[in-house]
Amino acid sequence: MILLTPGLRAQLLANGAAPNADHVPVVKFFNPIGQAVWLASMMEDNGEILFGIADLGFGTPEVGSFSLTELAELRLSFDMGIERDVLFETQTPLSIWSRTARRLGCLREAERTIWQSEQEG
């Protein structure tokens, strides 16, 4: 699977040009056979380093940077790889995602909570 479409890449780069803003996550990546999830809201102009939230499934989601190449090259069981959630959409800024994920200890639980909130609002 192609992890970033040209449109997603353009949005991440545009957000990266304004790094002090509280951007909305643009893309969600996930391990299809595990708990790991990544949300990215910005990309450095080198096209390699993403900024967002990483939750590797240990109960400690963290805000920071991660490598697009490393995600793309990660090989899982059954020769599977990291995938992009093609249905992911949100209007909630990264700071709220981060607070919610830390409070719940899991980005997947934060996603359920935020999705419900966005549906009600």
Side-chain angles (χ1 to χ4, degrees), residues 93-112:
L94 189 68
S95 63
I96 294 174
W97 277 92
S98 174
R99 280 194 300 270
T100 306
R102 285 183 182 160
R103 180 173 50 84
L104 298 173
C106 177
L107 193 49
R108 290 181 187 266
E109 287 299 319
E111 184 173 18
R112 287 183 191 95

Side-chain angles (χ1 to χ4, degrees), residues 32-96:
I33 56 175
Q35 291 299 312
V37 179
W38 298 262
L39 292 182
S41 63
M42 295 186 286
M43 176 183 274
E44 290 184 4
D45 60 4
N46 64 11
E48 164 59 21
I49 303 300
L50 299 165
F51 180 82
I53 305 171
D55 181 356
L56 301 182
F58 302 120
T60 55
E62 294 186 21
V63 173
S65 300
F66 46 93
S67 165
L68 179 60
T69 299
E70 287 181 14
L71 287 180
E73 291 177 351
L74 187 60
R75 297 293 7 122
L76 307 168
S77 299
F78 311 108
D79 199 35
M80 296 180 78
I82 300 302
E83 296 186 15
R84 174 175 38 91
D85 183 344
V86 298
L87 300 177
F88 178 76
E89 292 182 10
T90 187
Q91 299 303 312
T92 303
L94 189 68
S95 63
I96 294 174

